[in-house]
Amino acid sequence: MTPLLMLVLIPLLGVVAIALRAPARSVALAASALCLGVVSWMACSYNAAGEFRWEWVQPWFQIPLLGSTALRFGVDGVNLPLLVLTGMVSVSALLVAPAKIERESEYYGCLLFVIAGAYGAFASMDLMCMYIFHEFALIPTFLLIGFWGNGYRRISISFQMALYLLAGSIVLLLGMLGLLFSLPPEIRTTDLRVLQEVLSSYPLHPDSQGMIYFFLLIGFGILVGLFPFHTWAPKSYSAAPTPAAMLHAGVLKKFGIYGLLRVAEPFCPVGAEEWNSLLLMLLIGNILFVGWAALSQKNFNDLLGYSSVMHMGYLFLGLASGTPAALTGVVLLSVAHGLSVSGLYAVQGMVASRTGEVEMASLGGVAKKIPVLGFLAVILAMASVGLPGLGNFAGEILIFFGSWQGLSAGWQTGAMLAALVGVVVSSVYMLRAVRAVFYGTEGKARIEGVGLSLTERVALLIPVVGLLVLGFVPTLVTDDAAASLSRWFVW
Amino acid sequence: MNTVATTLFLQKSQEPMQWWNLPEVWWIFVGILLLLLEMLRPRRNSASIAKASIFAFAVMLIASLGWPTGLETTFFGGAYQWDGLAIFFKRIFLIAGLATTWMMRKCEAQGIQGRDEFYILPWFAVAAMGFVSSVGDFVTGFVSIELLTVCSYIMVAFYRSDRFSLEAGAKYLVIGALSTAFLVFGITILFGTGGSLRFDQLANSLASGHQDPAVTMGVVLVLVGVGFKLAAAPFHWWAPDVYHGAPTPVSAFLAVASKAAAVVFLLRLLIGPFAPLWTQCQQVLLALAGASLLVGNLGALSQRDVKRVMGYSSVSHAGFILLGISAGSQPAMLSVCYYLLAYTLATLLVFGVICGMIDKTGGSLMRQFNGLAQSRPGVAWLMTIGMLSLAGIPPLSGFFGKWFIFASVWQEGMYVMVFLAGFTAVASLFYYLAIVRHMFFEKPADGRAISSGLSFGYQLLLVVLAVATVAVGLVPGAVQRAIYALIFNL
């Protein structure tokens, strides 16, 4: 029994307990805290210099046509930080979740299901299992947005999200089929460790690499919100209840990036080169077009959604340049972005629950009434902008350096320039939002209730402390990540 | 368990099978016995007939575990073949028959006149389908399909006072007659050109004379006739109307058992007389598959009635099955069987919930499911499992069914069809989730439509179907291996 299996089983057992009428909120919190404990212990005792640890394999099924699939777990310097991210965000999200809510047990059951899916997707070292665990989260998110969400359009938004994500998954599935069928039948498997070993010595045929990479890029890309397939994301996040938005924007969206980093880039290097200019064009769209859209948002919630999609452009830039430094930066920025965006969604939820308002024009002066909230919110906003001393800066700078290293003329230069402009754009909209919500005179919306409760403080401190630690000691993540990447990629 | 089986059919031994041991003979015998019981019993009380029928289905299903596998024989001069494919489908028919009669018992409270036959007709239908699964010549095939269809006519129009049921019955009768005409016309042409009705002899003669345009015409006509039974587009128009109007258990029976019978008849034809004409057949099948995928999935989008949605959904699943069949390889055959098993379990589950929840003849609007998650959360979750399996969400069995079909079609290089199937599968999520939406997001309207309660036995049926839907998905490899061992006699 590996601790990784426990990460999946604990939330699922929590769902069972809730189904048996145990107090939902306490069970959910206990389960997520236990998981956070397990991942923290793993992070502290990893010490393997990029090797895989806590591996566990259980053969699942074998089909003559498709080879073997195993329930395989394993962790190295790339997915361990993402698991820690999952643990931190899930605890923070459940702390933010309201104590009293209609149909409480189903609400917390859905959240636990999403958490189990996220842990499973990041801990699996089998392509099929990764896919299945990621799909775990689809239907619970649909239910969370449709029933507990905000706004009168929540039902149509929940449908849009579910269809978009399923479409992405189907494209991904076609890419997986292509990958499997370009292997000779006797070594067909979805086991990533085996695939990596085989493909590093016997690369796929360049033609099939191009096709496979394209499908994987679009499939994973839709899950991440790659321009122009991003339209579902801001809407869904602003319609979702706060914990669901935190989990989805903070954790699940990183699954697409992780998949590209773990599967598409290393297995299809030639294909990646072939489609490099397409990816660069699309990521310019992510940074400039979505950044532009973020500038004109009037609603704090929507602004966060666009901002989170925009920053995916930086992760794609790291993937597109493909140098060791940039890919290490992708791992670091994924974690830092997950922490900052989920923290910002938590802040947004707290503001909205006190004022009942999300329009920035009618908000204002929150920091005067609740200084702690203002202080923590500013730290999170600065992290998202990329202020030195916070995790996002370290990740972005690594990506910039890495892209500079592999710089070639053409779209790459354009993407670098766009990314630099994007830093300015993101500071403009984020600072504007901070000023409108937290400073200035109190707006139309009256702030009700008092300061932050203890649980709310803890919920915000988790990402803030995480970002500070990553900002000052990024080597905690980057050392192992770089070591693992150098084992996983053939450079 | 096996002792029961061996007392019923002394076949585990290596002795050759005898015709009186064939399951269909027993099934018809049970049907006649139930008719006699109906006539002779002292009080008019259909509960005893219903219980006897359900009990007999359960016994036969258990007895089917004792059937001799790994044995290929023929009876009645080659008109009846006993092999693994037949066993697989006969078991599917028994499962469908059991679940259907169970649902019929739930419908009993709704004031059906002359209700006893309702529990007896499935026996003759199941026996007819059993013959179809073993068919070895066109006469047996035609007669068994007619017996199935005639039983279905009666069952569809069983709510004699309900105009929807009568309308459905009339439509089914007309369409059934039309498809029979196609089928029999095609058979006539094949008989005229091939000189025989036996599948093996016909295969030989068609192999030599397959350039003859008359042969192609005969083959196409037979495939059209099967297409009607399968509810494949463009011969699907009856399905939504008939599923909508028929009593819910009968809709379930048509969606599952009748379709499976058409599938096995098609398989028998393709591995038998039509084998020399595979390339022509493949074109027809691909066209039918593509049309069914598009029409079924897009047609369901605008429906407001759950049973009509299930009608269009059954068209789209026919498309998936035809797509798998048109891949034409051994793995594809396994994928089709796996898909059919997953489809059977999930569809029975969904119709079981509809039947249990809607105390009304005829339609079952989605609105009537409003707020089901609040009033009966357990049932709502069971329905959700069924819907998600049909939509192909992992790790439910429907997902692996689709995945295996995709793989076997991809193997044959028909990439366009895989894309088409993939994207219509995305569209299908919309209408399956629409029902989930009504159950979970809407407030109950007036509570009138939702049935008062379900008996323990009925709940057990639904739970068993749901568990099977999940379990077949959790061990896809083992299920495929079992099907492989059964069909290819290992």
Side-chain angles (χ1 to χ4, degrees), chain B residues 298-316:
Chain B
L298 301 182
L301 294 178
S302 58
Q303 299 302 321
R304 291 285 167 271
D305 185 293
V306 187
K307 280 161 76 179
R308 291 188 76 83
V309 168
M310 290 307 290
Y312 277 105
S313 144
S314 96
V315 175
S316 83

